[in-house]
Amino acid sequence: MAQARVRLPPAGPTAATAFLSGSNPRSAHISFSPRPTSVSLSAAAAANAPPPPIVVVGSANADIYVEVDRLPLVGETVAARAGHSLAGGKGANQAACGGRLALGPTYLVARVGDDANGRLLEGALEDAGGVRIDRVARAPGTPSGHAVVMLMPDGQNSIIIVGGANMEGWAAGVESEDLDLIRKAGVLLLQREIPDWVNMQAAQAAKSAGVPVIMDAGGMDAPIPGELFRLVDIFSPNETELARLTGMPTGTFEQISQAAGECHKMGVKEVLVKLGSQGSALFVEGEEPIRQPIIPATEVVDTTGAGDTFTSAFAVALVEGKPKKECMRFAAAAASLCVRVKGAIPSMPDRKSVIKLLESVQVE
């Protein structure tokens, strides 16, 4: 795949940086604007230029879906009701979501194999709309990453991932063009389906330019290196990942608060915990937690990608300089729409739909 250099406006203080420093005023209501329908060259349009880019460095997987009534027991074989392949992977999911929601550009930096699954992923990302994939590179001799998603009738799932190019395709490290792109971003999104050392290179580039770093905890089941953790501004686990990484129980909100406090001690200042049907909570060191209930879905079809949708939508609002509570509301609305559609990337909502949902519900 061609590796053209991306031309971006000069770097400078971003809305997201101001937001993290607490300098952004708090809004009393939802104030998201739809995507512009036309381009104007007037001075007014220039003054209202789109936010800086969202850059996602992460995985891209071919997801093999099998719809089952229940998970098999050890040594048991069960028949699936249906099976099909769709594009996914936490990095691709978050980039596709950002592409549909963000006012500015969203870029994915990833590695795929030079194979049928790699072409499936490239095509799906192009079709998703809004995400730039000129920094997605093919890794010769390495198969694309893939995952087996076991989907139950209630929409819940269990997933097994095979790293492939996501883990083995970074032999040359993060390319200089990718690092330049990260330094000019409004926010950097990371996950744990690529090597920690790749995440560390990307995070160091972001921190050197004052770009906020959000890391989703999903991916490999291993401790996060302290050096990487200290480069993260916002850490985003679900309650299971939070328990695994801290070694603490997370069965109650008080226990979740204590586990988030342990993350603060490890060097990250903000912990954004996804709580499934209980919504989400943001724990900022030294402040009271901010809780956000779910916005109920009319029907839960598939929860695959809901966490990625939430994290990406939060980042979109962050780059636009929204207050923290408003970021969480926007993310909750996006996740509510996501679970109503089967598949990860196919389920990512567009900006207009999220705003329409926010306008139709009263969120306390």
Coordinates of all heavy atoms in Angstrom, one line a residue, residues 56-59 109 166-167 170 174 179 182 188-207 213-220 224-225 227-229 231-232:
V56 N -5.6 6.9 15.4 CA -5.7 5.6 16.1 C -4.5 4.7 15.6 O -4.3 4.5 14.4 CB -7.0 4.9 15.7 CG1 -7.1 3.6 16.5 CG2 -8.2 5.8 16.0
V57 N -3.7 4.3 16.6 CA -2.7 3.3 16.3 C -3.2 2.0 16.9 O -3.3 1.9 18.1 CB -1.3 3.7 16.9 CG1 -0.3 2.7 16.6 CG2 -0.9 5.0 16.3
G58 N -3.4 1.0 16.1 CA -4.0 -0.2 16.7 C -4.2 -1.4 15.7 O -3.6 -1.4 14.6
S59 N -5.1 -2.3 16.0 CA -5.3 -3.5 15.3 C -6.4 -3.4 14.3 O -7.2 -2.6 14.3 CB -5.6 -4.6 16.3 OG -6.8 -4.3 17.0
V109 N -3.5 4.0 11.9 CA -2.1 3.5 11.6 C -2.1 2.0 12.1 O -2.4 1.7 13.3 CB -1.1 4.2 12.5 CG1 0.3 3.7 12.2 CG2 -1.1 5.7 12.1
N166 N -1.0 -7.7 13.2 CA -1.1 -6.8 14.3 C 0.1 -6.9 15.3 O 0.6 -5.9 15.8 CB -2.4 -7.0 15.1 CG -3.6 -6.8 14.3 OD1 -3.7 -5.8 13.6 ND2 -4.6 -7.7 14.4
M167 N 0.6 -8.1 15.5 CA 1.7 -8.3 16.5 C 3.0 -8.5 15.8 O 4.1 -8.1 16.3 CB 1.4 -9.6 17.3 CG 0.2 -9.5 18.2 SD 0.2 -8.1 19.4 CE 1.6 -8.7 20.4
W170 N 5.3 -5.1 12.6 CA 5.9 -3.8 13.0 C 7.4 -3.9 13.1 O 8.1 -3.2 13.8 CB 5.4 -3.4 14.3 CG 3.9 -3.2 14.4 CD1 3.0 -4.1 14.7 CD2 3.2 -2.0 14.1 NE1 1.7 -3.6 14.6 CE2 1.8 -2.3 14.3 CE3 3.5 -0.7 13.7 CZ2 0.8 -1.3 14.1 CZ3 2.5 0.3 13.6 CH2 1.2 -0.1 13.7
V174 N 7.5 2.0 14.3 CA 6.5 3.0 13.8 C 7.3 4.0 12.9 O 8.3 4.6 13.2 CB 5.9 3.8 15.0 CG1 4.9 4.8 14.5 CG2 5.3 2.8 16.0
L179 N 4.8 8.9 13.0 CA 5.1 9.7 14.2 C 4.8 11.2 14.0 O 4.3 11.9 14.9 CB 6.6 9.5 14.6 CG 6.9 8.1 15.0 CD1 8.4 8.0 15.3 CD2 6.2 7.6 16.2
I182 N 1.1 11.7 14.3 CA 0.7 11.6 15.7 C 1.0 13.0 16.4 O 0.1 13.5 17.2 CB 1.4 10.5 16.5 CG1 0.9 9.1 16.0 CG2 1.3 10.6 18.0 CD1 1.8 8.0 16.4
L188 N -4.6 10.9 20.5 CA -4.1 9.6 20.1 C -4.9 8.5 20.8 O -4.9 8.5 22.1 CB -2.6 9.5 20.4 CG -2.0 8.1 20.2 CD1 -2.0 7.7 18.7 CD2 -0.5 8.0 20.7
L189 N -5.4 7.5 20.1 CA -6.1 6.4 20.7 C -5.2 5.1 20.5 O -4.8 4.8 19.4 CB -7.4 6.1 19.9 CG -8.6 7.1 20.4 CD1 -9.8 6.9 19.4 CD2 -9.0 6.8 21.8
L190 N -5.0 4.4 21.6 CA -4.3 3.1 21.6 C -5.1 2.0 22.2 O -6.1 2.3 23.0 CB -3.0 3.3 22.4 CG -2.0 4.4 22.0 CD1 -0.9 4.5 23.1 CD2 -1.4 4.2 20.7
Q191 N -4.7 0.8 21.9 CA -5.3 -0.4 22.5 C -4.2 -1.4 22.8 O -3.1 -1.1 22.5 CB -6.4 -1.0 21.6 CG -7.3 -0.1 20.9 CD -6.6 0.4 19.6 OE1 -6.0 -0.3 18.9 NE2 -6.8 1.7 19.3
R192 N -4.6 -2.6 23.2 CA -3.6 -3.6 23.5 C -3.6 -4.9 22.6 O -3.3 -6.0 23.1 CB -3.7 -4.0 25.0 CG -3.5 -2.8 25.9 CD -3.1 -3.2 27.3 NE -1.7 -3.7 27.4 CZ -1.3 -4.7 28.2 NH1 -2.2 -5.3 29.0 NH2 -0.1 -5.1 28.2
E193 N -4.0 -4.6 21.4 CA -3.9 -5.7 20.4 C -2.7 -5.6 19.5 O -2.7 -6.3 18.4 CB -5.3 -5.8 19.6 CG -6.4 -6.3 20.5 CD -7.7 -6.4 19.7 OE1 -7.8 -5.8 18.6 OE2 -8.7 -7.0 20.2
I194 N -1.8 -4.7 19.8 CA -0.5 -4.5 19.1 C 0.5 -4.5 20.2 O 0.2 -4.4 21.4 CB -0.5 -3.2 18.3 CG1 -0.7 -2.0 19.1 CG2 -1.5 -3.3 17.2 CD1 -0.5 -0.7 18.4
P195 N 1.8 -4.7 19.8 CA 2.9 -4.8 20.9 C 3.0 -3.6 21.7 O 2.8 -2.4 21.3 CB 4.2 -5.0 20.0 CG 3.7 -5.6 18.7 CD 2.3 -4.9 18.5
D196 N 3.3 -3.8 23.0 CA 3.4 -2.6 23.9 C 4.5 -1.7 23.4 O 4.3 -0.4 23.6 CB 3.8 -3.2 25.3 CG 2.6 -3.7 26.1 OD1 1.4 -3.2 25.8 OD2 2.8 -4.6 26.9
W197 N 5.6 -2.2 22.8 CA 6.6 -1.3 22.4 C 6.2 -0.4 21.3 O 6.7 0.8 21.2 CB 7.9 -2.0 22.0 CG 7.8 -2.9 20.8 CD1 7.5 -4.2 20.8 CD2 8.0 -2.5 19.5 NE1 7.5 -4.7 19.5 CE2 7.9 -3.7 18.7 CE3 8.4 -1.3 18.8 CZ2 8.0 -3.7 17.3 CZ3 8.6 -1.3 17.5 CH2 8.4 -2.5 16.7
V198 N 5.2 -0.8 20.5 CA 4.7 0.0 19.4 C 3.8 1.1 20.1 O 3.9 2.3 19.7 CB 3.8 -0.8 18.4 CG1 3.2 0.1 17.4 CG2 4.7 -1.8 17.7
N199 N 3.0 0.7 21.0 CA 2.2 1.7 21.7 C 3.1 2.7 22.4 O 2.8 3.9 22.5 CB 1.3 1.0 22.8 CG 0.0 0.5 22.2 OD1 -0.5 1.0 21.3 ND2 -0.5 -0.6 22.8
M200 N 4.2 2.3 23.0 CA 5.1 3.2 23.7 C 5.7 4.2 22.7 O 5.8 5.4 23.0 CB 6.2 2.4 24.4 CG 6.9 3.2 25.5 SD 8.0 2.1 26.5 CE 6.8 0.9 27.1
Q201 N 6.1 3.8 21.5 CA 6.7 4.7 20.5 C 5.7 5.8 20.2 O 6.0 7.0 20.1 CB 7.1 4.0 19.3 CG 8.5 3.3 19.4 CD 9.0 2.8 18.0 OE1 8.2 2.6 17.1 NE2 10.2 2.6 17.9
A202 N 4.4 5.3 19.9 CA 3.4 6.3 19.5 C 3.1 7.2 20.7 O 2.9 8.4 20.5 CB 2.1 5.5 19.2
A203 N 3.0 6.7 21.9 CA 2.6 7.6 23.1 C 3.7 8.6 23.3 O 3.5 9.7 23.7 CB 2.4 6.7 24.3
Q204 N 5.0 8.2 23.2 CA 6.1 9.1 23.4 C 6.0 10.2 22.4 O 6.3 11.4 22.7 CB 7.4 8.4 23.3 CG 7.7 7.5 24.5 CD 8.9 6.6 24.3 OE1 9.3 6.3 23.1 NE2 9.5 6.1 25.4
A205 N 5.7 9.9 21.1 CA 5.6 11.0 20.1 C 4.5 11.9 20.5 O 4.6 13.2 20.4 CB 5.3 10.4 18.7
A206 N 3.3 11.4 20.9 CA 2.2 12.2 21.3 C 2.6 13.1 22.5 O 2.3 14.3 22.5 CB 1.0 11.4 21.7
K207 N 3.2 12.6 23.5 CA 3.5 13.3 24.7 C 4.5 14.5 24.4 O 4.4 15.5 25.0 CB 4.1 12.4 25.8 CG 3.1 11.4 26.3 CD 1.8 12.0 27.0 CE 2.1 12.5 28.4 NZ 0.9 13.0 29.1
V213 N -3.3 11.2 25.2 CA -3.2 9.8 24.9 C -4.3 9.1 25.7 O -4.4 9.1 26.9 CB -1.9 9.2 25.3 CG1 -1.9 7.7 24.9 CG2 -0.7 9.9 24.5
I214 N -5.2 8.4 24.9 CA -6.2 7.5 25.5 C -5.9 6.1 25.2 O -5.7 5.8 24.0 CB -7.6 7.9 25.0 CG1 -8.0 9.3 25.3 CG2 -8.7 6.9 25.5 CD1 -9.4 9.7 24.7
M215 N -5.8 5.2 26.2 CA -5.5 3.8 26.0 C -6.7 3.0 26.4 O -7.1 3.0 27.6 CB -4.3 3.4 26.7 CG -4.1 1.8 26.6 SD -2.5 1.2 27.3 CE -1.5 1.4 25.8
D216 N -7.3 2.2 25.5 CA -8.3 1.2 25.8 C -7.6 0.0 26.3 O -6.6 -0.5 25.8 CB -9.1 0.9 24.5 CG -10.3 0.1 24.8 OD1 -10.2 -1.1 25.3 OD2 -11.4 0.5 24.6
A217 N -8.1 -0.6 27.4 CA -7.4 -1.7 28.1 C -7.6 -3.0 27.3 O -6.9 -4.0 27.6 CB -7.9 -1.9 29.5
G218 N -8.5 -3.1 26.4 CA -8.8 -4.4 25.7 C -7.6 -4.9 24.9 O -6.9 -4.1 24.2
G219 N -7.5 -6.2 24.9 CA -6.4 -6.8 24.2 C -5.7 -7.9 25.0 O -6.3 -8.7 25.6
M220 N -4.3 -7.8 24.9 CA -3.5 -8.9 25.6 C -3.8 -8.9 27.1 O -3.9 -7.9 27.7 CB -2.1 -8.7 25.2 CG -1.4 -7.5 25.8 SD 0.3 -7.3 25.4 CE 0.2 -6.8 23.7
I224 N 0.5 -4.0 32.1 CA 0.9 -2.9 31.3 C 2.2 -2.4 31.8 O 2.3 -2.1 33.0 CB -0.1 -1.8 31.3 CG1 -1.4 -2.3 30.7 CG2 0.4 -0.6 30.4 CD1 -2.6 -1.3 30.7
P225 N 3.3 -2.3 31.0 CA 4.6 -1.7 31.5 C 4.4 -0.4 32.1 O 3.6 0.5 31.6 CB 5.4 -1.7 30.2 CG 4.8 -2.6 29.3 CD 3.3 -2.6 29.5
E227 N 6.3 2.1 32.3 CA 6.7 3.2 31.4 C 5.6 3.7 30.4 O 5.4 4.8 30.1 CB 8.0 2.8 30.7 CG 8.6 4.0 29.8 CD 9.9 3.5 29.1 OE1 10.3 2.4 29.3 OE2 10.4 4.3 28.3
L228 N 4.9 2.7 29.9 CA 3.8 3.0 29.0 C 2.6 3.6 29.7 O 2.0 4.6 29.3 CB 3.4 1.7 28.3 CG 2.1 1.8 27.4 CD1 2.2 2.8 26.3 CD2 1.8 0.4 26.8
F229 N 2.3 3.0 30.9 CA 1.2 3.5 31.6 C 1.3 5.0 32.0 O 0.3 5.7 32.0 CB 1.0 2.6 32.9 CG -0.4 2.5 33.4 CD1 -1.4 2.0 32.6 CD2 -0.8 2.9 34.7 CE1 -2.7 1.9 33.0 CE2 -2.0 2.8 35.1 CZ -3.0 2.3 34.3
L231 N 2.6 7.2 30.3 CA 2.4 8.1 29.2 C 1.0 8.3 28.8 O 0.6 9.1 27.9 CB 3.2 7.5 28.0 CG 4.7 7.5 28.0 CD1 5.2 6.6 26.9 CD2 5.3 8.8 28.0
V232 N 0.1 7.6 29.5 CA -1.3 7.6 29.2 C -2.0 8.7 30.0 O -1.8 8.8 31.2 CB -2.0 6.2 29.5 CG1 -3.5 6.3 29.3 CG2 -1.4 5.2 28.6

